[in-house]
């Protein structure tokens, strides 16, 4: 540990942990079907932010994957995690997170507890960067990357004409990579016809099919030249089933947003289940665990495409990790719908389909306090 880290470790104790719910209205470009986070015709993007303050006044921001589970995750942070973390060193992130995971394993190694751990971990990396004057991608040993290409991640529209209209909109906004969340062949056909052959399209179906159903669907989807088919099988931890689909489908397979621990990712990779592995930093332990997935994936010659269907510190964690540890073709998922307000203003809003890697200390940019205040949901 260098002198900067030692100073940070000696001076910084976790003094306060706040869980902040925000709900920002959005327009998705048309009536959406039931969303992947459990709301039918959703019209707000609900997020759970975590603000950690140290004894010497440094604040760090994290984000939990929550959506309709936000009340449960908020309770986990306030009633379970915060009492274990307050008073501990904010700089000893790895040892603190390991201790917390060991103490709480009896409650399960996924879901609300792991989401809560993830948010606090991201906030602690933000604090460490601010304390040492370095952006997180430098803390991770990052390379010289100033921007990353994004793919526009559309919500599920179901109706082919609405899909086509939103594909046109995304292309006009400068995106050359798209993700669909459709489960109907005609909706995918409409997207490909509208986009043409040169636009990269991925398809996330959110775990709806048996292996047999997925094989049957893949034969219908194959003509659309998908970059990958994401989370096609139920249950998502059926890695042998995914491996069979990967061998027989003729479409690259992506999965991992529902994996919670490093062991899950190891089992997935050992099974040969995926072409693209997709850890979700706000779900699976934050930056501390995310960096380990990059190392594990490299040992299995598998590409990491971080899952980032959120707009706050979880997104920034993905950007920094991808900039530092990703391959040349790393893409950032940009949740493509029109929020009434952006948590970071224009600071990281994609331009010409690319997102700037923040160069300031920590995550590089803090949430706009006016946006947080205006859209906070007070309990």
């Amino acid at each position: 540990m260098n002198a900067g880290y030692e100073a940070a470790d000696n001076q910084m104790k976790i003094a306060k942990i706040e869980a902040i719910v925000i709900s920002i209205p959005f327009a998705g470009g048309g009536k959406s079907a039931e969303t992947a986070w459990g709301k039918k015709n959703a019209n707000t993007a609900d997020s759970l932010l975590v603000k950690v303050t140290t004894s010497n006044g440094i604040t760090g921001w994290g984000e939990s994957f929550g959506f309709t589970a936000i009340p449960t995750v908020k309770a986990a942070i306030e009633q379970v995690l915060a009492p274990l973390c307050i008073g501990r060193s904010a700089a000893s992130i790895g040892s603190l997170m390991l201790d917390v995971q060991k103490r709480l394993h009896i409650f399960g190694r996924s879901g609300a507890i792991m989401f809560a751990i993830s948010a606090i971990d991201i906030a602690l990396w933000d604090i460490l960067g601010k304390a040492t004057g370095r952006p997180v991608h430098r803390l991770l040993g990052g390379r010289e990357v100033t921007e990353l290409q994004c793919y526009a991640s559309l919500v599920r529209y179901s109706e082919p004409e609405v899909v086509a209209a939103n594909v046109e909109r995304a292309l006009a906004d400068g995106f050359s990579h798209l993700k669909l969340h459709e489960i109907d062949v005609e909706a995918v056909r409409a997207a490909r016809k509208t986009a043409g052959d040169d636009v990269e399209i991925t398809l996330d179906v959110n775990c709806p099919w048996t292996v047999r159903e997925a094989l049957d669907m893949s034969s219908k989807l194959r003509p659309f030249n998908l970059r990958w088919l994401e989370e096609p099988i139920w249950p998502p931890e059926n890695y042998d089933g995914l491996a069979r689909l990967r061998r027989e489908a003729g479409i690259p397979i992506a999965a991992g947003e529902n994996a919670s621990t490093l062991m899950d990712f190891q089992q997935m990779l050992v099974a040969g289940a995926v072409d693209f592995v997709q850890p979700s930093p706000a779900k699976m332990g934050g930056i501390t665990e995310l960096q380990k997935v990059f190392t594990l994936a490299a040992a299995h010659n598998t590409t990491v495409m971080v899952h980032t269907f959120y707009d706050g510190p979880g997104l920034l964690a993905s950007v920094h990790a991808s900039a530092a540890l990703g391959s040349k073709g790393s893409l950032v998922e940009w949740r493509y719908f029109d929020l009434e307000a952006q948590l970071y203003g224009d600071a990281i809003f994609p331009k010409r389909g690319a997102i700037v890697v923040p160069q300031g200390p920590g995550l590089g940019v803090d949430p706009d306090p006016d946006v947080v205040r205006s859209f906070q949901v007070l309990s």
Side-chain angles (χ1 to χ4, degrees):
M1 183 181 288
N2 63 34
Y5 284 76
E6 288 176 352
D9 193 37
N10 291 333
Q11 295 172 11
M12 295 192 308
K13 304 296 182 184
I14 298 171
K16 188 176 183 181
I17 297 176
E18 302 168 74
I20 301 168
V21 181
I22 62 170
S23 182
I24 302 178
F26 74 87
K31 183 179 179 181
S32 66
E34 185 172 350
T35 63
W37 59 89
K39 279 188 176 181
K40 192 173 181 63
N41 298 326
N43 57 14
T44 61
D46 301 335
S47 302
L48 180 59
L49 305 180
V50 171
K51 182 181 180 182
V52 177
T53 305
T54 68
S55 54
N56 59 341
I58 300 175
T59 60
W61 290 87
E63 182 177 13
S64 163
F65 192 91
F67 299 105
T68 53
I70 280 175
T72 306
V73 183
K74 186 174 186 289
I77 291 168
E78 294 175 341
Q79 299 176 29
V80 181
L81 269 296
L84 292 178
C85 294
I86 289 173
R88 304 284 294 273
S89 168
S92 301
I93 304 172
S95 60
L96 174 57
M97 292 296 98
L98 178 60
D99 181 57
V100 166
Q101 287 203 34
K102 286 183 174 181
R103 286 173 178 262
L104 300 179
H105 77 276
I106 58 171
F107 302 120
R109 302 264 288 143
S110 62
I113 293 291
M114 191 60 75
F115 296 177
I117 289 172
S118 303
I120 292 172
D121 181 89
I122 292 168
L124 292 178
W125 279 88
D126 190 23
I127 286 169
L128 184 59
K130 290 171 179 174
T132 57
R134 303 172 72 189
V136 167
H137 64 266
R138 289 298 183 192
L139 296 178
L140 296 171
R143 52 200 172 95
E144 293 290 340
V145 175
T146 58
E147 67 175 25
L148 294 165
Q149 287 294 308
C150 299
Y151 59 86
S153 189
L154 282 62
V155 296
R156 183 176 298 166
Y157 298 107
S158 299
E159 301 170 12
E161 63 273 17
V162 182
V163 174
N166 281 279
V167 167
E168 285 184 350
R169 203 164 62 94
L171 296 176
D173 283 342
F175 292 94
S176 58
H177 308 268
L178 306 175
K179 178 187 279 189
L180 308 176
H181 287 85
E182 307 299 331
I183 54 174
D184 181 78
V185 171
E186 292 308 312
V188 180
R189 188 191 310 278
R192 175 53 76 195
K193 181 179 179 181
T194 303
D197 295 334
D198 296 332
V199 172
E200 192 173 81
I201 296 178
T202 68
L203 178 62
D204 182 358
V205 292
N206 298 116
C207 308
W209 301 319
T210 66
V211 174
R212 181 67 263 164
E213 289 169 340
L215 285 166
D216 291 343
M217 284 296 296
S218 66
S219 67
K220 299 174 183 178
L221 294 168
R222 202 174 299 127
F224 305 126
N225 190 28
L226 298 173
R227 184 68 178 102
W228 68 67
L229 176 60
E230 183 174 334
E231 299 279 359
I233 289 175
W234 178 264
E237 59 271 19
N238 182 0
Y239 302 139
D240 288 340
L242 276 174
R244 180 186 171 191
L245 185 65
R246 183 185 176 214
R247 291 191 301 268
E248 300 179 21
I251 304 173
I253 300 299
E257 69 175 90
N258 289 303
S260 298
T261 70
L262 195 64
M263 292 302 298
D264 294 333
F265 290 102
Q266 180 176 335
Q267 291 164 12
M268 183 188 306
L269 292 165
V270 167
V274 293
D275 299 278
F276 300 94
V277 62
Q278 298 176 297
S280 188
K283 297 177 79 172
M284 46 69 68
I287 295 170
T288 298
E289 297 301 303
L290 179 59
Q291 63 181 329
K292 299 174 186 176
V293 176
F294 276 93
T295 302
L296 185 62
H300 288 270
N301 197 30
T302 302
T303 301
V304 178
M305 290 289 185
V306 183
H307 173 264
T308 56
F309 200 69
Y310 21 78
D311 307 295
L315 170 63
L316 288 180
S318 168
V319 169
H320 282 279
S322 296
L325 306 171
S327 62
K328 186 177 180 180
S330 292
L331 297 171
V332 173
E333 182 174 16
W334 178 261
R335 193 161 61 171
Y336 186 74
F337 39 70
D338 301 321
L339 288 168
E340 189 172 309
Q342 290 286 337
L343 198 58
Y344 300 114
D346 293 331
I348 60 168
F349 200 88
K351 296 177 176 62
R352 298 177 301 278
I355 193 169
V356 172
V357 179
Q359 300 299 314
L363 293 176
V365 57
D366 283 347
D368 183 330
D370 290 333
V371 174
V372 174
R373 185 166 48 251
S374 297
F375 297 97
Q376 184 174 356
V377 178
L378 299 175
S379 55

